[in-house]
Amino acid sequence: MPLSTASFAVSDQTLTLELVLPVSAVSMSAGDVRAWHDATAPLTLVTLDGLYMPKVLSAELGAKPGAGLSQRWRLRLSFPEIGPRETLQFNWFDGAGRLMLQPALASDKSEAVLVNPGQRSERISFQGQSVLSPAVAFLAYIPRGFGLVLGQGAQYVLFLLAVCMVSPRSKPQLMQVGLYAAGSTISLWVGALVTTLPVWLSGLPLLMMGIGVTLAVVAANFLRPYIGAGRLALVALASALHGLALGQALRGLGLPVKNEIAAILGAGMGLWAGYAIVLLCFFVLLGNWVGHERFMPRRIRHLGSLLVGAGAIALLLGRALA
């Protein structure tokens, strides 16, 4: 089947897409193109704040006759100002053959991306458009790493509370939280940079393993309430699992073109800030109250661990049933 082609260009709040469709591949009317646009949101912008799908056509679609063998469609899509635009993804439709997609400013076809019918393209960089500098990427991703812990990371907060329940003293807590922060930051790189991980290291299986380690620490708070090699091994395992999950979540938000390393460094700083706040709140709210104790009094350790365990199970069930 003949190859369809498309080029795109971005200016201010408008993205212009020009499609060249071989007549032998597909014949489309303005209504067909509009229906395709409304149903699939063909262009998905990947920004610092995640995915954004422009849904407004700012001008009527128009077709220009090709060389007798093709149709040339011009689409103008508008969107509100959303900050630096990093990459886009393109949703192609069935029945039109393969698509060759490239920026309008590309100098040659080496920058083109091939998209199969009914598939979504890989992320494509805007040529000549805004690309974050390393310093800006680092600073921009600090709050995103912070948000992964305190904004949408209930399982990470629950784990930190579980390890804190064993002792109100600063030394054992810093030992555990420091190990956890270092391990999760290292594995964050793997989750963010590796595009393909085994199925059992992503999604619900990874969440189940992460919560399983939390429940193991909760059980240890009842059975072996002290800091030993076994407990530190649990903390290290949790840091690896949680770091992978955080890295995948960070990749889902979108990493900046050409400066992924700086962005991941910034996200790591945000993680550390989130961990520090959880630890600080624990000491302010509870640690000072029983600071004279070497280990947490049983009534507090047991009740707190039960609440953490119940929260972990509720989180797992909520995700499994969603």
Side-chain angles (χ1 to χ4, degrees):
M1 184 174 288
L3 189 70
S4 300
T5 62
S7 62
F8 59 88
V10 178
S11 61
D12 297 329
Q13 295 177 313
T14 303
L15 191 150
T16 302
L17 175 71
E18 190 163 299
L19 292 172
V20 179
L21 306 175
V23 172
S24 57
V26 63
S27 181
M28 298 178 70
S29 66
D32 294 331
V33 176
R34 185 177 292 278
W36 163 59
H37 164 266
D38 291 342
T40 63
L43 286 165
T44 302
L45 301 179
V46 185
T47 73
L48 289 179
D49 295 319
L51 300 179
Y52 179 79
M53 291 178 285
K55 295 289 288 185
V56 180
L57 284 172
S58 61
E60 184 61 36
L61 298 168
K64 299 179 181 178
L69 299 175
S70 66
Q71 290 178 296
R72 186 179 298 271
W73 289 92
R74 194 175 184 86
L75 291 77
R76 285 190 177 91
L77 301 127
S78 65
F79 45 87
E81 187 59 41
I82 52 177
R85 294 178 292 277
E86 291 301 312
T87 58
L88 66 78
Q89 289 181 300
F90 189 86
N91 299 321
W92 195 221
F93 60 95
D94 289 316
R98 300 184 75 189
L99 173 76
M100 184 174 71
L101 178 66
Q102 67 181 40
L105 298 179
S107 57
D108 56 54
K109 293 183 178 180
S110 64
E111 299 174 13
V113 174
L114 289 177
V115 188
N116 291 317
Q119 298 297 314
R120 173 179 290 183
S121 73
E122 297 295 328
R123 295 174 186 169
I124 308 166
S125 171
F126 292 118
Q127 297 296 323
Q129 300 300 320
S130 173
V131 176
L132 299 184
S133 67
V136 173
F138 175 81
L139 294 174
Y141 274 77
I142 290 176
R144 283 163 178 78
F146 183 83
L148 288 176
V149 175
L150 295 186
Q152 59 187 67
Q155 64 165 318
Y156 317 123
V157 175
L158 287 170
F159 177 80
L160 289 170
L161 292 177
V163 299
C164 284
M165 284 298 164
V166 72
S167 171
R169 298 290 182 90
S170 59
K171 183 176 180 180
Q173 298 305 352
L174 290 175
M175 183 189 307
Q176 294 180 100
V177 176
L179 175 61
Y180 177 76
S184 60
T185 302
I186 292 171
S187 56
L188 166 72
W189 287 75
V190 178
L193 293 177
V194 176
T195 57
T196 304
L197 290 171
V199 175
W200 58 275
L201 278 179
S202 61
L204 186 60
L206 186 58
L207 175 69
M208 292 175 64
M209 289 187 288
I211 290 180
V213 177
T214 300
L215 295 176
V217 172
V218 167
N221 289 344
F222 284 86
L223 303 175
R224 301 174 66 85
Y226 59 86
I227 307 297
R231 187 180 187 88
L232 294 179
L234 283 175
V235 172
L237 176 60
S239 72
L241 297 173
H242 291 170
L244 286 176
L246 288 164
Q248 291 175 18
L250 185 63
R251 173 163 286 278
L253 291 177
L255 290 169
V257 178
K258 297 182 180 179
N259 288 310
E260 291 183 336
I261 302 302
I264 296 173
L265 284 171
M269 291 291 293
L271 295 184
W272 282 67
Y275 298 150
I277 285 182
V278 173
L279 190 60
L280 179 62
C281 290
F282 170 80
F283 278 113
V284 169
L285 296 176
L286 192 59
N288 288 336
W289 180 33
V290 290
H292 60 282
E293 304 280 353
R294 182 180 180 186
F295 293 103
M296 197 70 70
R298 181 177 298 179
R299 63 184 184 281
I300 297 176
R301 182 175 69 248
H302 286 183
L303 178 60
S305 297
L306 282 175
L307 291 175
V308 169
I313 293 173
L315 176 63
L316 180 61
L317 291 176
R319 285 289 301 275
L321 297 175

